[in-house]
Coordinates of all heavy atoms in Angstrom, one line a residue:
P80 N 29.4 93.8 11.8 CA 29.7 92.6 11.1 C 29.4 91.4 11.9 O 29.6 91.3 13.1 CB 31.2 92.7 10.8 CG 31.7 93.8 11.8 CD 30.6 94.6 12.2
L81 N 28.8 90.4 11.2 CA 28.4 89.2 11.8 C 29.5 88.2 11.7 O 30.2 88.1 10.7 CB 27.1 88.6 11.2 CG 25.8 89.4 11.4 CD1 24.8 88.8 10.5 CD2 25.4 89.4 12.8
Q82 N 29.7 87.4 12.8 CA 30.7 86.4 12.8 C 30.0 85.0 12.7 O 28.9 84.8 13.3 CB 31.5 86.4 14.1 CG 32.4 87.7 14.2 CD 33.1 87.7 15.5 OE1 33.0 86.8 16.3 NE2 34.0 88.7 15.7
V83 N 30.7 84.1 12.0 CA 30.1 82.8 11.9 C 30.4 82.0 13.2 O 31.6 82.0 13.7 CB 30.8 82.0 10.7 CG1 30.3 80.6 10.6 CG2 30.5 82.8 9.4
L84 N 29.4 81.4 13.8 CA 29.6 80.7 15.0 C 30.0 79.3 14.7 O 29.5 78.6 13.8 CB 28.3 80.7 15.8 CG 27.7 82.0 16.3 CD1 26.4 81.8 16.9 CD2 28.7 82.6 17.3
Q85 N 31.0 78.8 15.4 CA 31.5 77.5 15.3 C 30.8 76.6 16.3 O 30.6 76.9 17.4 CB 33.0 77.4 15.5 CG 33.8 78.3 14.5 CD 33.7 77.7 13.1 OE1 33.6 76.5 13.0 NE2 33.8 78.6 12.1
P86 N 30.3 75.4 15.8 CA 29.7 74.5 16.8 C 30.7 74.0 17.8 O 31.8 73.7 17.5 CB 29.1 73.4 15.9 CG 30.0 73.4 14.7 CD 30.4 74.9 14.5
K87 N 30.2 73.9 19.0 CA 31.1 73.3 20.1 C 31.1 71.8 20.0 O 30.1 71.2 19.7 CB 30.5 73.7 21.5 CG 30.6 75.2 21.7 CD 30.1 75.5 23.1 CE 30.2 77.0 23.4 NZ 29.7 77.3 24.8
T88 N 32.3 71.3 20.2 CA 32.4 69.8 20.2 C 32.3 69.3 21.6 O 33.0 69.9 22.5 CB 33.7 69.4 19.5 OG1 34.8 70.0 20.2 CG2 33.8 69.8 18.1
I89 N 31.4 68.4 21.8 CA 31.3 67.8 23.1 C 31.9 66.4 23.1 O 31.6 65.6 22.2 CB 29.8 67.7 23.5 CG1 29.1 69.1 23.5 CG2 29.6 67.0 24.8 CD1 27.6 69.1 23.6
P90 N 32.8 66.2 24.0 CA 33.5 64.8 24.0 C 32.4 63.8 24.3 O 31.6 63.9 25.2 CB 34.5 64.9 25.0 CG 34.1 66.1 25.9 CD 33.3 67.0 25.0
K91 N 32.5 62.7 23.5 CA 31.6 61.6 23.8 C 32.1 60.8 24.9 O 33.2 60.5 25.1 CB 31.5 60.7 22.5 CG 30.8 61.4 21.4 CD 30.6 60.4 20.2 CE 29.9 61.1 19.1 NZ 29.8 60.2 17.9
R92 N 31.1 60.3 25.7 CA 31.4 59.5 26.8 C 31.4 58.0 26.4 O 30.5 57.6 25.6 CB 30.4 59.6 28.0 CG 30.4 61.0 28.6 CD 29.4 61.0 29.7 NE 29.1 62.4 30.1 CZ 28.2 62.7 30.9 NH1 27.4 61.8 31.4 NH2 28.0 63.9 31.3
S93 N 32.4 57.3 26.7 CA 32.3 55.9 26.4 C 31.4 55.1 27.3 O 31.3 55.4 28.5 CB 33.7 55.2 26.4 OG 34.1 55.1 27.7
R94 N 30.6 54.2 26.8 CA 29.6 53.5 27.6 C 30.3 52.6 28.6 O 29.8 52.3 29.6 CB 28.7 52.7 26.7 CG 27.8 53.6 25.9 CD 26.8 52.7 25.1 NE 25.9 53.6 24.4 CZ 24.8 53.2 23.8 NH1 24.5 52.0 23.9 NH2 24.1 54.1 23.2
M95 N 31.5 52.2 28.3 CA 32.2 51.3 29.2 C 32.6 52.0 30.5 O 32.5 51.4 31.5 CB 33.5 50.7 28.5 CG 33.1 49.8 27.4 SD 32.1 48.5 28.0 CE 32.9 47.1 27.3
S96 N 32.9 53.3 30.4 CA 33.3 54.0 31.6 C 32.1 54.3 32.5 O 32.3 54.5 33.7 CB 34.0 55.3 31.2 OG 33.1 56.1 30.6
Q97 N 30.9 54.3 31.9 CA 29.7 54.6 32.7 C 29.2 53.4 33.5 O 28.7 53.5 34.6 CB 28.6 55.0 31.8 CG 28.8 56.4 31.2 CD 27.7 56.8 30.3 OE1 26.9 56.0 30.0 NE2 27.7 58.0 29.8
R98 N 29.5 52.2 33.0 CA 29.0 51.0 33.7 C 30.0 50.4 34.6 O 31.2 50.4 34.2 CB 28.6 49.9 32.6 CG 27.5 50.3 31.7 CD 27.2 49.2 30.8 NE 26.3 49.6 29.8 CZ 26.0 48.9 28.7 NH1 26.6 47.8 28.5 NH2 25.1 49.4 27.8
K99 N 29.6 50.0 35.7 CA 30.5 49.3 36.6 C 30.3 47.8 36.4 O 29.2 47.3 36.3 CB 30.1 49.6 38.1 CG 30.4 51.1 38.4 CD 30.1 51.3 39.9 CE 30.3 52.8 40.2 NZ 29.9 53.1 41.6
P100 N 31.4 47.1 36.3 CA 31.2 45.6 36.2 C 30.5 45.0 37.4 O 30.8 45.3 38.5 CB 32.6 45.1 36.1 CG 33.5 46.2 36.6 CD 32.7 47.5 36.4
Q101 N 29.6 44.1 37.1 CA 28.8 43.5 38.2 C 29.1 42.0 38.2 O 29.3 41.4 37.2 CB 27.3 43.7 38.0 CG 26.9 45.2 38.1 CD 25.4 45.3 38.0 OE1 24.7 44.4 37.5 NE2 24.9 46.5 38.4
D102 N 29.1 41.5 39.4 CA 29.2 40.1 39.6 C 27.9 39.4 39.2 O 26.8 40.0 39.5 CB 29.6 39.7 41.0 CG 31.0 40.2 41.4 OD1 31.8 40.2 40.4 OD2 31.3 40.5 42.5
P103 N 27.9 38.2 38.7 CA 26.6 37.5 38.5 C 25.9 37.3 39.8 O 26.6 37.0 40.8 CB 27.0 36.2 37.8 CG 28.5 36.1 37.8 CD 29.1 37.4 38.3
Q104 N 24.6 37.3 39.8 CA 23.9 37.2 41.0 C 22.7 36.2 40.8 O 22.2 36.0 39.7 CB 23.3 38.5 41.4 CG 24.3 39.5 41.8 CD 23.6 40.8 42.2 OE1 22.4 41.0 42.0 NE2 24.4 41.8 42.7
V105 N 22.4 35.5 41.9 CA 21.2 34.7 41.9 C 20.0 35.6 41.9 O 20.0 36.6 42.6 CB 21.2 33.7 43.1 CG1 19.9 32.9 43.1 CG2 22.4 32.9 43.1
S106 N 19.0 35.3 41.1 CA 17.8 36.3 41.0 C 17.1 36.4 42.3 O 17.0 35.4 43.0 CB 16.9 35.8 39.9 OG 16.2 34.6 40.2
R107 N 16.6 37.6 42.5 CA 15.9 37.8 43.8 C 14.6 37.0 43.9 O 14.3 36.5 45.0 CB 15.5 39.3 43.9 CG 16.7 40.2 44.1 CD 16.3 41.6 44.1 NE 17.4 42.5 44.4 CZ 17.4 43.8 44.5 NH1 16.2 44.4 44.5 NH2 18.5 44.5 44.8
S108 N 14.0 36.8 42.8 CA 12.7 36.1 42.8 C 13.0 34.6 43.2 O 12.2 34.0 43.9 CB 12.0 36.1 41.4 OG 12.8 35.6 40.4
L109 N 14.1 34.0 42.7 CA 14.4 32.7 43.0 C 14.7 32.5 44.5 O 14.3 31.6 45.2 CB 15.6 32.2 42.2 CG 16.1 30.7 42.4 CD1 14.9 29.8 42.1 CD2 17.3 30.4 41.6
I110 N 15.5 33.4 45.0 CA 15.8 33.4 46.5 C 14.6 33.5 47.3 O 14.4 32.8 48.2 CB 16.8 34.5 46.8 CG1 18.2 34.3 46.2 CG2 17.0 34.7 48.3 CD1 19.1 35.5 46.3
K111 N 13.7 34.5 46.9 CA 12.4 34.7 47.6 C 11.6 33.4 47.6 O 11.0 33.0 48.6 CB 11.7 35.9 47.0 CG 10.5 36.2 47.8 CD 9.8 37.5 47.2 CE 8.6 37.9 48.0 NZ 8.0 39.1 47.5
E112 N 11.5 32.8 46.4 CA 10.6 31.6 46.2 C 11.1 30.5 47.1 O 10.4 29.8 47.8 CB 10.6 31.2 44.8 CG 9.7 30.1 44.4 CD 9.7 29.7 43.0 OE1 10.0 30.6 42.1 OE2 9.4 28.6 42.6
I113 N 12.4 30.2 47.0 CA 13.0 29.1 47.8 C 12.9 29.4 49.3 O 12.5 28.5 50.1 CB 14.5 28.9 47.4 CG1 14.6 28.4 46.0 CG2 15.2 27.9 48.4 CD1 16.0 28.3 45.4
F114 N 13.2 30.6 49.7 CA 13.1 30.9 51.2 C 11.7 30.8 51.7 O 11.4 30.2 52.7 CB 13.7 32.3 51.4 CG 13.8 32.6 52.9 CD1 14.8 32.0 53.6 CD2 13.0 33.6 53.4 CE1 14.9 32.4 55.0 CE2 13.1 33.9 54.8 CZ 14.1 33.3 55.6
S115 N 10.7 31.3 50.9 CA 9.3 31.3 51.3 C 8.8 29.9 51.4 O 8.0 29.5 52.2 CB 8.5 32.1 50.3 OG 8.8 33.4 50.3
H116 N 9.3 29.0 50.5 CA 8.9 27.6 50.5 C 9.3 26.9 51.8 O 8.5 26.2 52.4 CB 9.5 26.9 49.3 CG 9.3 25.4 49.4 ND1 8.1 24.8 49.0 CD2 10.2 24.4 49.7 CE1 8.2 23.5 49.2 NE2 9.5 23.2 49.6
F117 N 10.5 27.2 52.3 CA 11.0 26.5 53.5 C 10.5 27.2 54.8 O 10.3 26.5 55.8 CB 12.5 26.4 53.5 CG 13.0 25.4 52.5 CD1 13.6 25.8 51.3 CD2 12.9 24.1 52.7 CE1 14.1 24.9 50.4 CE2 13.3 23.1 51.8 CZ 13.9 23.5 50.7
V118 N 10.3 28.5 54.7 CA 9.8 29.2 55.9 C 8.3 28.9 56.2 O 7.9 28.7 57.4 CB 10.0 30.7 55.8 CG1 9.4 31.5 57.0 CG2 11.5 31.0 55.7
K119 N 7.5 28.9 55.2 CA 6.1 28.6 55.3 C 5.3 29.5 56.2 O 4.4 29.1 56.9 CB 5.9 27.1 55.7 CG 6.4 26.1 54.7 CD 6.2 24.7 55.2 CE 6.9 23.8 54.2 NZ 6.9 22.4 54.6
M120 N 5.7 30.8 56.2 CA 5.0 31.8 56.9 C 5.3 33.2 56.3 O 6.3 33.3 55.6 CB 5.3 31.8 58.4 CG 6.8 32.0 58.8 SD 7.2 31.8 60.5 CE 5.7 31.6 61.4
P121 N 4.6 34.2 56.6 CA 4.9 35.5 56.0 C 6.2 36.0 56.5 O 6.6 35.8 57.6 CB 3.8 36.4 56.5 CG 2.7 35.5 56.9 CD 3.3 34.2 57.3
V122 N 6.9 36.7 55.6 CA 8.3 37.2 55.9 C 8.3 38.7 55.5 O 7.8 39.1 54.4 CB 9.4 36.5 55.1 CG1 10.7 37.0 55.5 CG2 9.3 35.0 55.5
A123 N 8.9 39.6 56.4 CA 8.9 41.0 56.1 C 9.9 41.3 55.0 O 10.8 40.5 54.7 CB 9.4 41.7 57.4
R124 N 9.7 42.4 54.3 CA 10.5 42.8 53.1 C 12.0 43.0 53.5 O 12.9 42.5 52.8 CB 10.0 44.0 52.5 CG 8.8 43.8 51.6 CD 8.5 45.1 50.9 NE 7.3 44.9 50.1 CZ 6.8 45.8 49.3 NH1 7.4 46.9 49.1 NH2 5.7 45.6 48.7
D125 N 12.2 43.6 54.6 CA 13.6 43.9 55.0 C 14.3 42.6 55.4 O 15.6 42.5 55.3 CB 13.7 44.9 56.2 CG 12.8 44.5 57.4 OD1 11.9 43.7 57.2 OD2 13.1 45.0 58.5
T126 N 13.6 41.6 55.8 CA 14.2 40.3 56.0 C 14.7 39.7 54.8 O 15.8 39.0 54.8 CB 13.1 39.3 56.7 OG1 12.6 39.9 57.8 CG2 13.8 38.0 57.0
F127 N 14.0 39.8 53.7 CA 14.5 39.3 52.4 C 15.8 39.9 51.9 O 16.6 39.3 51.3 CB 13.4 39.4 51.3 CG 12.3 38.4 51.3 CD1 11.0 38.7 51.5 CD2 12.7 37.0 51.2 CE1 10.1 37.7 51.6 CE2 11.7 36.1 51.2 CZ 10.4 36.4 51.4
K128 N 16.0 41.2 52.2 CA 17.2 41.9 51.9 C 18.4 41.2 52.6 O 19.4 41.0 52.1 CB 17.1 43.3 52.2 CG 16.2 44.1 51.3 CD 16.2 45.6 51.7 CE 15.2 46.3 50.8 NZ 15.1 47.7 51.1
I129 N 18.2 40.9 53.9 CA 19.2 40.2 54.6 C 19.5 38.8 54.1 O 20.6 38.4 54.0 CB 18.9 40.2 56.1 CG1 18.8 41.6 56.7 CG2 19.9 39.3 56.9 CD1 18.2 41.7 58.1
V130 N 18.4 38.1 53.8 CA 18.5 36.8 53.2 C 19.3 36.8 51.9 O 20.2 36.0 51.6 CB 17.1 36.1 53.0 CG1 17.2 34.8 52.2 CG2 16.5 35.8 54.4
E131 N 19.0 37.8 51.1 CA 19.7 38.0 49.8 C 21.2 38.2 50.0 O 22.1 37.6 49.4 CB 19.2 39.1 49.0 CG 17.9 38.9 48.4 CD 17.3 40.2 47.7 OE1 18.1 41.1 47.5 OE2 16.2 40.1 47.3
K132 N 21.5 39.0 51.0 CA 22.9 39.3 51.3 C 23.7 38.0 51.8 O 24.8 37.7 51.4 CB 23.0 40.4 52.4 CG 24.4 41.0 52.6 CD 24.4 42.0 53.6 CE 23.7 43.3 53.2 NZ 23.9 44.4 54.1
C133 N 23.0 37.3 52.7 CA 23.6 36.1 53.2 C 23.8 35.0 52.1 O 24.8 34.3 52.1 CB 22.7 35.5 54.3 SG 22.7 36.5 55.8
T134 N 22.8 34.9 51.2 CA 22.9 34.0 50.1 C 24.0 34.3 49.2 O 24.8 33.5 48.8 CB 21.5 34.0 49.3 OG1 20.5 33.7 50.2 CG2 21.6 33.0 48.2
E135 N 24.2 35.6 48.9 CA 25.3 36.1 48.1 C 26.7 35.7 48.7 O 27.6 35.2 48.0 CB 25.2 37.6 47.8 CG 26.1 38.1 46.8 CD 25.8 37.6 45.4 OE1 24.6 37.5 45.1 OE2 26.7 37.4 44.6
K136 N 26.8 36.0 50.0 CA 28.0 35.6 50.7 C 28.3 34.1 50.7 O 29.4 33.7 50.5 CB 28.0 36.2 52.1 CG 28.1 37.7 52.2 CD 28.1 38.1 53.6 CE 28.3 39.6 53.7 NZ 28.3 40.1 55.1
Y137 N 27.2 33.4 50.9 CA 27.3 31.9 50.9 C 27.9 31.4 49.6 O 28.8 30.6 49.6 CB 26.0 31.3 51.3 CG 26.0 29.8 51.1 CD1 26.6 29.0 52.1 CD2 25.4 29.1 50.0 CE1 26.6 27.6 52.0 CE2 25.4 27.8 49.9 CZ 26.0 27.0 50.9 OH 26.1 25.6 50.8
F138 N 27.3 31.8 48.5 CA 27.7 31.3 47.2 C 29.1 31.8 46.8 O 29.8 31.1 46.1 CB 26.6 31.6 46.1 CG 25.5 30.7 46.1 CD1 24.2 31.1 46.6 CD2 25.6 29.4 45.7 CE1 23.2 30.2 46.6 CE2 24.6 28.5 45.8 CZ 23.3 28.9 46.2
K139 N 29.4 33.0 47.2 CA 30.8 33.5 47.0 C 31.8 32.7 47.7 O 32.8 32.3 47.1 CB 30.8 35.0 47.4 CG 32.2 35.6 47.3 CD 32.6 35.8 45.9 CE 33.9 36.5 45.8 NZ 34.7 36.1 44.7
Q140 N 31.5 32.3 49.0 CA 32.5 31.5 49.7 C 32.5 30.1 49.1 O 33.6 29.5 49.0 CB 32.0 31.4 51.2 CG 33.0 30.7 52.1 CD 34.3 31.4 52.2 OE1 34.4 32.6 52.4 NE2 35.4 30.6 52.1
L141 N 31.4 29.6 48.7 CA 31.3 28.2 48.2 C 32.1 28.2 46.9 O 32.9 27.2 46.7 CB 29.9 27.9 47.8 CG 29.6 26.5 47.3 CD1 29.6 25.5 48.4 CD2 28.2 26.5 46.6
S142 N 32.0 29.2 46.0 CA 32.8 29.2 44.8 C 34.3 29.3 45.0 O 35.1 28.7 44.3 CB 32.2 30.2 43.8 OG 32.4 31.5 44.4
D143 N 34.6 30.2 46.0 CA 36.1 30.4 46.3 C 36.7 29.1 46.8 O 37.8 28.7 46.5 CB 36.2 31.5 47.4 CG 36.0 32.9 46.8 OD1 35.9 33.0 45.6 OD2 35.8 33.8 47.6
D144 N 35.9 28.4 47.7 CA 36.4 27.1 48.2 C 36.5 26.0 47.1 O 37.5 25.3 47.1 CB 35.5 26.6 49.3 CG 35.6 27.4 50.6 OD1 36.5 28.2 50.7 OD2 34.7 27.3 51.5
L145 N 35.6 26.0 46.2 CA 35.6 25.0 45.1 C 36.8 25.3 44.2 O 37.5 24.4 43.8 CB 34.3 25.0 44.3 CG 33.2 24.3 45.0 CD1 31.9 24.5 44.1 CD2 33.4 22.8 45.1
E146 N 37.1 26.6 44.0 CA 38.2 27.0 43.2 C 39.5 26.5 43.9 O 40.5 26.0 43.2 CB 38.2 28.5 43.0 CG 39.3 29.0 42.1 CD 39.3 30.5 41.9 OE1 38.5 31.1 42.5 OE2 40.2 31.0 41.1
A147 N 39.6 26.7 45.2 CA 40.8 26.3 45.9 C 41.0 24.8 45.9 O 42.1 24.3 45.7 CB 40.7 26.8 47.4
Y148 N 39.9 24.0 46.0 CA 40.0 22.6 46.0 C 40.5 22.1 44.6 O 41.4 21.2 44.5 CB 38.7 21.9 46.3 CG 38.3 22.0 47.7 CD1 39.0 22.7 48.7 CD2 37.1 21.3 48.1 CE1 38.5 22.7 50.0 CE2 36.7 21.4 49.4 CZ 37.4 22.1 50.3 OH 37.0 22.1 51.6
T149 N 40.0 22.7 43.6 CA 40.4 22.4 42.2 C 41.8 22.7 41.9 O 42.6 21.9 41.3 CB 39.4 23.1 41.2 OG1 38.1 22.7 41.5 CG2 39.7 22.6 39.8
N150 N 42.3 23.9 42.3 CA 43.7 24.3 42.1 C 44.6 23.4 42.9 O 45.7 23.1 42.4 CB 43.9 25.8 42.6 CG 43.2 26.7 41.6 OD1 43.0 26.5 40.5 ND2 42.9 27.9 42.1
H151 N 44.2 23.0 44.1 CA 45.0 22.2 44.9 C 45.2 20.8 44.3 O 46.3 20.2 44.4 CB 44.4 22.0 46.3 CG 45.2 21.1 47.2 ND1 46.4 21.5 47.8 CD2 45.0 19.9 47.7 CE1 46.9 20.5 48.5 NE2 46.1 19.5 48.5
A152 N 44.2 20.3 43.6 CA 44.3 19.0 42.9 C 45.0 19.2 41.5 O 45.2 18.1 40.9 CB 42.9 18.5 42.7
G153 N 45.4 20.4 41.2 CA 46.1 20.6 39.9 C 45.2 20.5 38.7 O 45.7 20.2 37.6
R154 N 43.9 20.8 38.8 CA 43.0 20.7 37.7 C 42.5 22.1 37.4 O 42.6 23.0 38.2 CB 41.8 19.8 38.1 CG 42.2 18.4 38.1 CD 41.0 17.5 38.4 NE 40.8 17.3 39.9 CZ 39.8 17.9 40.6 NH1 38.9 18.7 40.0 NH2 39.8 17.7 41.9
K155 N 41.8 22.3 36.3 CA 41.2 23.5 35.9 C 39.7 23.4 35.8 O 39.0 24.4 35.5 CB 41.7 24.0 34.5 CG 43.2 24.4 34.5 CD 43.6 25.0 33.2 CE 45.0 25.4 33.3 NZ 45.4 26.1 32.1
T156 N 39.1 22.2 36.1 CA 37.7 22.0 36.1 C 37.2 21.5 37.5 O 37.8 20.6 38.0 CB 37.4 20.9 35.0 OG1 37.9 21.3 33.8 CG2 35.9 20.7 34.9
V157 N 36.2 22.1 38.0 CA 35.6 21.7 39.2 C 34.8 20.4 39.0 O 34.1 20.3 38.0 CB 34.6 22.7 39.8 CG1 33.9 22.2 41.0 CG2 35.3 24.0 40.0
E158 N 35.1 19.4 39.8 CA 34.4 18.1 39.6 C 33.4 17.9 40.8 O 33.5 18.5 41.8 CB 35.4 17.0 39.6 CG 36.3 17.1 38.3 CD 37.3 15.9 38.2 OE1 37.4 15.1 39.2 OE2 38.0 15.9 37.2
M159 N 32.6 16.9 40.6 CA 31.6 16.5 41.6 C 32.3 16.2 43.0 O 31.8 16.5 44.0 CB 30.7 15.4 41.1 CG 29.6 15.0 42.1 SD 28.4 16.3 42.3 CE 27.5 16.1 40.8
A160 N 33.4 15.5 42.9 CA 34.1 15.1 44.1 C 34.5 16.3 44.9 O 34.5 16.3 46.2 CB 35.4 14.3 43.7
D161 N 34.9 17.4 44.3 CA 35.2 18.7 45.0 C 34.0 19.2 45.8 O 34.2 19.5 47.0 CB 35.7 19.7 44.0 CG 36.9 19.4 43.2 OD1 37.8 18.6 43.8 OD2 37.0 19.8 42.1
L162 N 32.9 19.1 45.2 CA 31.7 19.6 45.9 C 31.3 18.7 47.0 O 30.9 19.1 48.1 CB 30.5 19.7 44.9 CG 29.2 20.3 45.4 CD1 29.4 21.7 45.9 CD2 28.2 20.3 44.3
E163 N 31.4 17.4 46.8 CA 31.1 16.4 47.9 C 32.0 16.6 49.1 O 31.6 16.6 50.2 CB 31.3 15.0 47.3 CG 30.1 14.6 46.4 CD 30.4 13.3 45.7 OE1 31.4 12.6 46.0 OE2 29.5 12.8 45.0
V164 N 33.3 16.8 48.8 CA 34.3 17.1 49.9 C 33.9 18.4 50.7 O 33.9 18.4 51.9 CB 35.7 17.1 49.4 CG1 36.7 17.6 50.5 CG2 36.2 15.8 48.9
L165 N 33.6 19.4 49.9 CA 33.2 20.7 50.5 C 32.0 20.6 51.4 O 31.9 21.1 52.5 CB 33.0 21.7 49.4 CG 32.6 23.1 49.9 CD1 33.7 23.7 50.8 CD2 32.4 24.0 48.7
M166 N 31.0 19.9 50.9 CA 29.7 19.7 51.6 C 29.9 18.9 52.9 O 29.2 19.1 53.9 CB 28.6 19.1 50.7 CG 28.1 20.1 49.6 SD 27.3 21.5 50.3 CE 28.5 22.8 50.0
R167 N 30.8 17.9 52.9 CA 31.1 17.2 54.1 C 31.7 18.0 55.2 O 31.5 17.8 56.3 CB 32.0 16.0 53.7 CG 31.2 14.8 53.2 CD 32.1 13.5 53.2 NE 31.9 12.9 51.9 CZ 32.8 12.6 51.0 NH1 34.1 12.8 51.3 NH2 32.5 12.1 49.9
R168 N 32.5 19.0 54.8 CA 33.2 19.8 55.7 C 32.2 20.8 56.3 O 32.2 21.4 57.3 CB 34.3 20.6 55.1 CG 35.4 19.7 54.8 CD 36.6 20.4 54.2 NE 37.7 19.5 54.1 CZ 39.0 19.9 54.2 NH1 39.3 21.2 54.3 NH2 39.9 19.0 54.2

């Protein structure tokens, strides 16, 4: 006697669980273009990786400091004065 085979159900994976949230980043091409403009000489590829990492850390620190200045002033919007104070320091 033949038995009817039942199809196996495969649980669907949600797309959200597969993706890791990423922080916004400055594009690599922009970093490379700006850095190359100021260096004015050939730069090794591995050097650009370090420059990217340093740039990312710089902007992360900059944004954290601007957020702290704005919170300290009791505002929810970063103003030009906050950036000017930060750049003077």
Side-chain angles (χ1 to χ4, degrees):
L81 294 172
Q82 294 179 355
V83 177
L84 297 175
Q85 298 294 328
K87 293 182 181 179
T88 57
I89 300 173
K91 292 184 178 180
R92 297 181 192 169
S93 71
R94 291 186 178 193
M95 293 304 229
S96 64
Q97 292 176 350
R98 296 182 190 167
K99 293 181 181 178
Q101 294 182 345
D102 292 331
Q104 296 179 348
V105 178
S106 69
R107 292 179 176 183
S108 60
L109 180 62
I110 294 171
K111 185 175 181 178
E112 183 179 336
I113 293 170
F114 188 71
S115 297
H116 172 76
F117 288 106
V118 173
K119 297 178 183 174
M120 60 184 353
V122 180
R124 283 188 185 185
D125 54 337
T126 304
F127 278 119
K128 290 180 182 180
I129 296 169
V130 170
E131 286 177 12
K132 191 181 291 187
C133 292
T134 303
E135 191 68 34
K136 287 182 181 182
Y137 172 77
F138 280 108
K139 177 67 175 148
Q140 185 66 47
L141 184 77
S142 62
D143 289 345
D144 290 345
L145 284 172
E146 183 181 2
Y148 288 4
T149 304
N150 288 337
H151 181 71
R154 290 182 272 107
K155 292 186 178 184
T156 305
V157 176
E158 294 182 356
M159 184 64 78
D161 298 327
L162 185 60
E163 289 173 358
V164 170
L165 180 62
M166 291 294 108
R167 275 192 227 127
R168 290 184 170 207

